[in-house]
């Protein structure tokens, strides 16, 4: 079953010169899939993610999330839909600095007006899974980048969304913290059947996914599915990136640990 369907979706940014950022893109995402989206800088990845996030609307074409086309919702219903169905993880964590780790995680529930006891219970369970229990009372300035991103993942998960949308979630992390976050996302994906759509330019990050979709100039370019070994999947991702042009540093000899 497809949890996300894009049918010939295009996005034009109007301006002095109109710019076609996403060009007739069609693809589907299965429930429980872990999908990476890759493409050169300026290829339309963030634009695409913003449309899936219901923050932005397509200029043409149709998009369905869990069977709903968000443009048919009123503003209030859309805000509710977004909170119930979607969780967001960003490159720069987007935590509120004045709130503790626990308060940041609880925030979406506070907005929903849930009873304090329910919130506390949910946070306690999630904090255990995310290895955040000892730092629940700390503020973002007092924790590491990896801990901050795990807090953000906790905030995204607290509502048990059907889809997590992540834009470069490991972009600001060192390689050890990045690996922890990717392993955590993989575990969430497997254990909770949460669909994850992750934009990344890191081939190692993409190699944790079930499928990588490549876009170029806002258009579908190619896609590949994982195989038994992450190392060979990683190599195939690098090969496609080199076909795509740009973005490939001197990674081709790196081995995954
Ligand atoms: P990516 O995330 O792959 O780097 P973006 O989706 O940010 O790409 O951008 C795709 C193209 O659309 C780029 O050429 C960018 O300059 C343009 N673009 C992005 N946002 C806007 C905007 N708000 N107004 C006009 N053009 C934009
Ligand atoms: Mg971007």
């Amino acid at each position: 079953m497809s949890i996300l369907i894009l049918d010939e979706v295009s996005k034009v940014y109007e301006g002095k010169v109109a710019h076609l950022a996403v060009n007739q893109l069609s693809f589907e995402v299965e429930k429980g899939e872990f999908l990476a989206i890759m493409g050169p800088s300026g290829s339309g990845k963030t634009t695409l993610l913003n449309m899936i996030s219901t923050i932005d609307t397509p200029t043409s074409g149709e998009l369905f999330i869990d069977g709903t086309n968000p443009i048919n919702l009123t503003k209030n219903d859309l805000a509710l839909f977004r909170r119930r169905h979607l969780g967001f993880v960003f490159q720069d964590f987007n935590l509120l600095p004045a709130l503790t780790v626990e308060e940041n995680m609880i925030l979406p529930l506070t907005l929903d007006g849930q009873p304090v006891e329910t919130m506390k219970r949910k946070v306690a369970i999630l904090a255990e899974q995310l290895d955040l229990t000892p730092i629940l009372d700390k503020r973002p300035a007092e924790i590491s980048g990896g801990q901050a991103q795990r807090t953000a993942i906790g905030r995204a998960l607290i509502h048990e969304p059907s889809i997590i949308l992540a834009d470069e979630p490991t972009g600001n992390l060192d390689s050890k913290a990045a690996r922890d976050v990717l392993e955590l996302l993989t575990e969430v994906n497997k254990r909770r059947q949460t669909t994850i759509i992750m934009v990344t330019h890191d081939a190692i990050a993409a190699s944790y996914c079930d499928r990588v979709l490549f876009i170029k100039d806002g258009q579908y370019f190619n896609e590949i599915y994982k195989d038994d070994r992450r190392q060979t999947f990683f190599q195939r991702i690098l090969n496609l990136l080199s076909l795509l042009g740009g973005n490939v540093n001197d990674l081709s000899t790196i081995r995954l640990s």
Side-chain angles (χ1 to χ4, degrees):
M1 187 205 128
S2 295
I3 199 162
L4 174 71
I5 301 174
L6 276 87
D7 186 17
E8 306 256 314
V9 167
S10 296
K11 178 70 188 183
V12 178
Y13 288 116
E14 301 295 349
K16 260 202 191 121
V17 183
H19 182 79
L20 183 58
V22 170
N23 187 359
Q24 298 202 309
L25 196 57
S26 301
F27 66 91
E28 299 192 5
V29 180
E30 295 287 302
K31 182 170 168 34
E33 205 180 343
F34 189 177
L35 175 75
I37 297 174
M38 302 190 88
S41 175
S43 58
K45 302 181 298 293
T46 296
T47 303
L48 173 62
L49 214 58
N50 286 343
M51 291 191 285
I52 300 170
S53 305
T54 77
I55 290 161
D56 206 349
T57 53
T59 309
S60 64
E62 289 192 305
L63 182 152
F64 298 90
I65 303 166
D66 256 341
T68 298
N69 185 336
I71 63 163
N72 294 328
L73 299 176
T74 63
K75 208 172 159 225
N76 278 343
D77 285 347
L78 184 62
L80 199 62
F81 179 85
R82 198 180 288 143
R83 273 217 308 279
R84 295 273 154 81
H85 288 79
L86 306 176
F88 300 97
V89 179
F90 305 93
Q91 178 168 359
D92 48 11
F93 322 133
N94 280 15
L95 298 177
L96 293 179
L99 302 186
T100 64
V101 164
E102 180 173 39
E103 289 161 348
N104 267 287
M105 283 169 67
I106 283 181
L107 194 61
L109 299 181
T110 318
L111 296 172
D112 254 7
Q114 290 205 17
V116 173
E117 278 318 305
T118 313
M119 301 196 286
K120 288 252 172 207
R121 189 163 35 83
K122 283 193 174 173
V123 166
I125 294 168
L126 210 46
E128 269 308 303
Q129 279 180 25
L130 302 178
D131 202 12
L132 293 171
T133 307
I135 59 159
L136 279 176
D137 292 330
K138 294 206 179 306
R139 285 173 215 283
E142 301 165 328
I143 63 179
S144 71
Q147 290 170 330
Q149 196 58 302
R150 295 210 305 276
T151 303
I153 291 170
R155 182 185 54 191
L157 281 175
I158 200 104
H159 263 300
E160 298 173 36
S162 35
I163 309 183
I164 287 200
L165 299 165
D167 199 350
E168 297 281 1
T170 58
N172 278 333
L173 301 178
D174 63 49
S175 56
K176 160 81 171 77
R179 198 171 60 214
D180 287 348
V181 161
L182 290 163
E183 278 168 5
L184 181 63
L185 289 174
T186 306
E187 191 187 306
V188 163
N189 170 251
K190 296 283 170 290
R191 240 209 253 169
R192 298 171 178 248
Q193 280 289 297
T194 307
T195 308
I196 304 179
I197 302 176
M198 174 174 76
V199 165
T200 183
H201 58 239
D202 178 5
I204 294 179
S207 72
Y208 282 81
C209 297
D210 299 319
R211 174 169 56 132
V212 186
L213 178 73
F214 298 85
I215 62 174
K216 184 176 190 176
D217 302 328
Q219 285 179 293
Y220 177 93
F221 181 77
N222 209 331
E223 64 191 322
I224 54 174
Y225 285 84
K226 76 165 174 197
D227 46 46
D228 294 343
R229 293 183 56 229
R230 197 152 62 77
Q231 174 68 32
T232 52
F233 189 36
F234 171 68
Q235 276 302 336
R236 287 161 58 222
I237 294 167
L238 288 180
N239 294 346
L240 253 159
L241 286 177
S242 66
L243 282 179
L244 201 56
N247 266 350
V248 195
N249 310 324
D250 220 0
L251 283 167
S252 48
T253 55
I254 288 183
R255 282 203 58 88
L256 301 177
S257 49

